Amino acid sequence: MCKGLAALPHTCLERAKEIKTKLGTLLQKPDSAIDFIIPYPEKPEKPAKAQKPSPEEALQWRDSLEKLLQNPYGLASFSSFLRSEFSEENIEFWVACEDYKKTRSPAKMVEKAKKIYEEFIQTEAPKEVNIDHFTKAVTMKNLVEPSLSSFDMAQKRIFALMEKDSLPRFVRSEFYQELIK
């Protein structure tokens, strides 16, 4: 017996709203292909001055996720690709961890750590990343007293996952193939 939407847990409703928004965006035809190449940042903090790489530089990304993520255009392209597959939580978590490691204020660190935990780590988080129980437990223990290395283990696991799974799919994608021509 269905009691309607109100009976669903809040996180299910939030996730359903996210999916609805993503599907709506996906169904709209872009004015130009650039909409898929360089994503619009959610927070217009620092617009990425992403310059298209040479085919030679883009070829290096095939064997190095690290080089891909160090390049602003590569990061934007990879993020867009993952968004198109509805699997952007890993790259968003990785980017959030990189930003977190630049934090110097202890108060800001606690605030950012809490946000990252709630968004990516906790069970049923809106963008929960796929990490094993041991890694989750170590990360939670590290967050009792946040430090710049609190998320290192989880970030390394997600990097390895993207390297093994997402990078090969990106390299086979049409967009990447265009970059190396």
Side-chain angles (χ1 to χ4, degrees), residues 52-87:
K52 189 174 179 180
S54 66
E56 293 76 28
E57 187 177 0
L59 265 173
Q60 294 178 3
W61 299 348
R62 186 176 10 197
D63 303 316
S64 173
L65 180 58
E66 197 169 324
K67 285 182 182 174
L68 169 68
L69 298 178
Q70 286 171 352
N71 180 295
Y73 196 92
L75 176 59
S77 301
F78 190 59
S79 296
S80 289
F81 169 74
L82 291 176
R83 244 188 312 285
S84 76
E85 293 196 326
F86 299 100
S87 63

Side-chain angles (χ1 to χ4, degrees), residues 5-14:
L5 291 176
L8 287 173
H10 180 69
T11 52
C12 290
L13 293 174
E14 288 299 311

Side-chain angles (χ1 to χ4, degrees), residues 154-168:
Q155 187 183 21
K156 284 178 180 141
R157 294 278 195 271
I158 293 304
F159 182 91
L161 185 66
M162 290 191 300
E163 195 170 44
K164 188 179 120 224
D165 184 49
S166 306
L167 182 62

Side-chain angles (χ1 to χ4, degrees), residues 5-176:
L5 291 176
L8 287 173
H10 180 69
T11 52
C12 290
L13 293 174
E14 288 299 311
R15 191 68 180 145
K17 285 178 191 172
E18 282 179 36
I19 292 169
K20 180 183 175 190
T21 303
K22 288 176 184 177
L23 284 173
T25 305
L26 193 61
L27 293 173
Q28 293 174 358
K29 292 201 183 218
D31 293 334
S32 67
I34 197 74
D35 291 333
F36 287 113
I37 298 169
I38 302 173
Y40 299 108
E42 288 180 22
K43 296 180 213 158
E45 289 169 7
K46 297 181 209 163
K49 291 186 175 101
Q51 187 174 355
K52 189 174 179 180
S54 66
E56 293 76 28
E57 187 177 0
L59 265 173
Q60 294 178 3
W61 299 348
R62 186 176 10 197
D63 303 316
S64 173
L65 180 58
E66 197 169 324
K67 285 182 182 174
L68 169 68
L69 298 178
Q70 286 171 352
N71 180 295
Y73 196 92
L75 176 59
S77 301
F78 190 59
S79 296
S80 289
F81 169 74
L82 291 176
R83 244 188 312 285
S84 76
E85 293 196 326
F86 299 100
S87 63
E88 69 273 15
E89 65 281 345
N90 288 339
I91 191 66
E92 288 179 11
F93 172 71
W94 185 87
V95 168
C97 290
E98 288 298 295
D99 176 62
Y100 174 81
K101 289 191 273 191
K102 295 173 189 163
T103 307
R104 295 293 165 238
S105 154
K108 272 278 192 209
M109 194 178 292
V110 168
E111 185 184 310
K112 284 184 178 183
K114 182 179 188 296
K115 186 174 187 236
I116 291 171
Y117 173 77
E118 289 174 352
E119 194 169 348
F120 300 102
I121 304 291
Q122 79 180 7
T123 304
E124 299 297 321
K127 298 177 181 179
E128 186 177 1
V129 290
N130 186 8
I131 54 174
D132 57 273
H133 293 292
F134 177 74
T135 303
K136 187 180 274 194
V138 168
T139 303
M140 288 167 65
K141 183 176 172 279
N142 291 345
L143 293 177
V144 172
E145 288 183 39
S147 71
L148 293 178
S149 61
S150 292
F151 294 101
D152 283 0
M153 181 184 268
Q155 187 183 21
K156 284 178 180 141
R157 294 278 195 271
I158 293 304
F159 182 91
L161 185 66
M162 290 191 300
E163 195 170 44
K164 188 179 120 224
D165 184 49
S166 306
L167 182 62
R169 288 196 320 272
F170 174 68
V171 167
R172 289 190 302 268
S173 74
E174 205 172 293
F175 177 69
Y176 179 78

